[in-house]
Amino acid sequence: MAYEMVVGLEVHVQLQTQAKVFAPEAVTFGERPNAFVSWVSLGYPGTLPVLNKACIEAAARLGLALECEIASEFFFSRKNYFYPDLPKGYQITQEAAPIARRGQVFLRLADGSRHRVGIERIQLEEDTGKSLHDQDPFDTLLDYNRAGIGLVEIVSEPDIRTPQQAMAYLAHIRRVVRFLGISDGNMEEGSLRCDANISVRRWGEERFGTRVEIKNLNSISALGKALDYEYRRQVALLEAGQAVQRETRTWDGTQTVPLREKETADDYRYFPEPDLPPVRLSEEWLERLRRSLPELPDRLFDRLIGEYGLSADDALLLTEDRPYAEYFQALLREGVSPKVAASWMNGPVRAYLNEAAIPMEAFPLPASSLAKLIRLAESRQVSLTAARETLFPHLVQNPTAEPADIAQRLDLFLSQDENQLEAWIADVLAEHPDKVETYRKGKVGLLGFFVGQVVRRSGGKADPKEVQRRLAEKLA
Ligand code: ADP
Ligand code: MG
């Protein structure tokens, strides 16, 4: 293609603090509509906002994690517009003096390369209520439970050049907010939301083209598809000698469609919020915050590869969210080797979580117990297959039981009797002289057949790995 894609993302993260950002009621999701709304959030005359310190802390931690400069002093602004989900008639947000600026992230792309994306600013603001268009046949209903929940908006520089980079950026932000524990980053429930600004320009051209903002991207893959679509649409316009209109569009699942003309900053009549004083952050407070940051997914990723020799695929899965990464590290503390722990985490554990549709936090098995199970397999007391496919599911159903007791009850222990093992092998070889002959003539694929026969004869008591080793020796 003769055109390059230029993208900047605006990502909103809902802060899962106890209270809202300027009002005392609880932050909830999926509760009875309008059950968590105070006079403040409804904009009643005479009420005043009170800033929630926990939201400042969350925004500052995010700023630090994204390598931003944190402002030692900042203030809030009013963004004025009329919309039913905004009962005050204005949103308290930040404009001239955001809490953080000039950060950066380094994306890891599938081909192993890195790509830098600058962070222009991070601002703290309040969420709006929600318009419900599908609950009543005639009217739009309003739920204000969301109104006033703390939001941070992370605005990237227009440094993104492909849909893959955009998706990697969004996944990166999601991992970071999850590691910091400031939000669950759930896009379906709207705790993480993304708008994409996209323009195109001829290769080699320095100036940016006219940008279009796409709203309503409610998954990472939707972001990729919408950019792909919008890129083609803009290129087709330019190729036809037409201009791209500056506008806001929405992604409907298959295409982008016009939503409204883009409003400009002037339309909002921004001015400093008179009901909130400017905020000053002390150097000591920031320093304490900096020191209290957890190990971030990027650092952990590097360590998983550099120190433990894991593959990039394994490391990526293990750094997806913090509880998952912590469980993996708990297995290591129990003495499980990194590669073995990774294969259990990204194998049976992950499959179980997916099937049960539960997050890691709800995984019933303590790491100490899974480590015992893994040791049974590693010491060849139980075969790996039996450990993964039989013992593991039973233990998950019975999380307080001793792995060895269950293995006993299910009769999974392998025979440790060498003479017995030799006898089973000898029997099988004696039964199939023709196949032994064929094997010796070079059809070594038959080894699997012999192993299967011995395991069957043993009633599952022979360790397949040991049988294979001995057979290969004998038949050589
Ligand atoms: P707005 O108020 O219009 O949403 P913001 O400053 O909040 O503006 O966000 C602008 C976003 O658009 C940033 O992410 C920025 O990187 C991106 N952007 C700016 N110019 C372009 C362009 N020509 N093409 C693509 N993205 C752009
Ligand atoms: Mg914006």
Side-chain angles (χ1 to χ4, degrees):
M1 277 287 198
Y3 294 85
E4 180 181 39
M5 174 187 292
V6 173
V7 173
L9 297 184
E10 295 168 72
V11 178
H12 285 94
V13 180
Q14 218 174 46
L15 299 176
Q16 265 127 24
T17 41
Q18 298 262 301
K20 294 181 177 177
V21 57
F22 304 117
E25 66 270 24
V27 170
T28 59
F29 177 81
E31 293 290 341
R32 198 162 51 83
N34 300 310
F36 295 86
V37 202
S38 67
W39 307 128
V40 182
S41 301
L42 287 178
Y44 270 55
T47 60
L48 287 170
V50 176
L51 179 55
N52 180 355
K53 194 173 168 191
C55 293
I56 299 279
E57 191 172 311
R61 293 172 77 223
L62 180 61
L64 291 172
L66 299 179
E67 297 182 39
C68 291
E69 295 164 19
I70 310 294
S72 53
E73 183 171 336
F74 57 86
F75 60 86
F76 292 90
S77 294
R78 277 193 189 180
K79 179 179 182 178
N80 299 280
Y81 64 94
F82 175 77
Y83 203 73
D85 65 15
L86 188 72
K88 295 204 299 293
Y90 59 86
Q91 179 194 31
I92 303 180
T93 177
Q94 297 196 290
E95 198 222 1
I99 182 166
R101 284 181 194 273
R102 286 185 287 270
Q104 58 178 355
V105 304
F106 290 90
L107 305 177
R108 281 167 220 285
L109 301 172
D111 64 2
S113 67
R114 299 264 188 138
H115 181 79
R116 181 188 178 280
V117 178
I119 307 285
E120 187 187 310
R121 55 198 269 137
I122 296 180
Q123 62 192 43
L124 180 59
E125 58 193 31
E126 58 181 338
D127 209 343
T128 58
K130 222 195 243 165
S131 306
L132 309 170
H133 302 292
D134 54 0
Q135 308 277 307
D136 184 278
F138 304 109
D139 295 315
T140 289
L141 304 183
L142 286 153
D143 175 8
Y144 290 116
N145 284 348
R146 201 178 72 175
I149 293 181
L151 274 189
V152 286
E153 178 175 353
I154 308 157
V155 182
S156 86
E157 299 283 353
D159 289 343
I160 295 166
R161 293 289 175 272
T162 65
Q164 290 70 32
Q165 290 175 9
M167 292 190 286
Y169 173 85
L170 191 51
H172 180 92
I173 300 287
R174 188 175 63 181
R175 268 198 300 278
V176 171
V177 302
R178 285 178 174 172
F179 264 68
L180 294 174
I182 62 180
S183 177
D184 62 19
N186 186 330
M187 291 193 75
E188 272 157 52
E189 296 181 357
S191 32
L192 185 77
R193 310 198 278 268
C194 172
D195 301 333
N197 293 271
I198 164 173
S199 62
V200 301
R201 62 179 172 186
R202 282 198 168 276
W203 283 102
E205 172 73 61
E206 289 221 2
R207 272 183 317 135
F208 287 146
T210 303
R211 77 189 213 233
V212 163
E213 182 168 345
I214 312 174
K215 302 224 171 250
N216 242 337
L217 302 166
N218 48 19
S219 69
I220 292 182
S221 71
L223 169 64
K225 286 184 204 150
L227 290 177
D228 221 37
Y229 178 91
E230 183 60 21
Y231 170 80
R232 287 168 210 270
R233 192 188 70 87
Q234 292 185 14
V235 168
L237 280 175
L238 297 180
E239 288 287 278
Q242 289 170 294
V244 172
Q245 295 303 319
R246 176 80 193 276
E247 62 180 350
T248 302
R249 299 174 74 87
T250 178
W251 174 245
D252 73 1
T254 39
Q255 56 180 348
T256 66
V257 291
L259 199 61
R260 56 173 184 256
E261 274 177 33
K262 182 70 194 173
E263 51 295 279
T264 62
D266 298 344
D267 298 329
Y268 292 122
R269 298 182 293 115
Y270 282 101
F271 61 84
E273 169 59 54
D275 290 341
L276 288 166
V279 180
R280 280 188 202 93
L281 301 179
S282 76
E283 206 26 69
E284 299 84 77
W285 185 80
L286 266 178
E287 197 39 50
R288 239 180 309 143
L289 215 56
R290 194 174 274 129
R291 278 200 304 267
S292 73
L293 287 184
E295 182 179 42
L296 292 170
D298 262 2
R299 284 253 346 249
L300 178 59
F301 181 93
D302 288 341
R303 233 158 39 79
L304 293 180
I305 291 180
E307 265 176 51
Y308 299 148
L310 299 185
S311 70
D313 286 343
D314 272 341
L316 204 58
L317 289 175
L318 287 169
T319 49
E320 194 55 48
D321 70 42
R322 185 144 67 129
Y324 195 74
E326 276 172 357
Y327 196 98
F328 166 77
Q329 288 171 298
L331 285 178
L332 301 193
R333 282 195 297 278
E334 294 286 338
V336 180
S337 81
K339 282 194 179 142
V340 171
S343 81
W344 276 86
M345 289 301 297
N346 296 338
V349 173
R350 201 173 186 79
Y352 176 80
L353 297 177
N354 285 342
E355 204 161 300
I358 53 168
M360 190 70 218
E361 292 94 310
F363 186 60
L365 211 53
S368 57
S369 184
L370 180 57
K372 282 183 189 161
L373 185 162
I374 295 175
R375 271 196 293 278
L376 289 176
E378 288 297 292
S379 60
R380 314 295 313 163
Q381 289 175 267
V382 170
S383 78
L384 188 58
T385 316
R388 288 173 82 120
E389 288 166 18
T390 312
L391 190 47
F392 176 76
H394 273 85
L395 193 59
V396 172
Q397 296 308 319
N398 256 303
T400 53
E402 272 298 315
D405 291 347
I406 299 191
Q408 188 76 57
R409 186 156 58 74
L410 297 175
D411 198 19
L412 298 177
F413 278 110
L414 296 172
S415 162
Q416 305 294 328
D417 181 341
E418 288 202 21
N419 295 332
Q420 178 66 78
L421 194 58
E422 285 294 328
W424 285 323
I425 292 173
D427 285 355
V428 166
L429 294 184
E431 248 168 48
H432 299 283
D434 45 337
K435 292 221 162 60
V436 170
E437 178 93 21
T438 328
Y439 179 94
R440 291 207 162 109
K441 281 191 184 134
K443 199 149 180 261
V444 292
L446 275 173
L447 193 59
F449 164 80
F450 290 123
V451 174
Q453 289 297 310
V454 175
V455 170
R456 215 166 102 194
R457 171 164 293 257
S458 75
K461 293 274 144 196
D463 174 3
K465 209 167 159 188
E466 182 60 16
V467 170
Q468 170 157 3
R469 193 185 64 79
R470 285 173 190 245
L471 273 169
E473 239 176 56
K474 284 206 170 42
L475 290 167

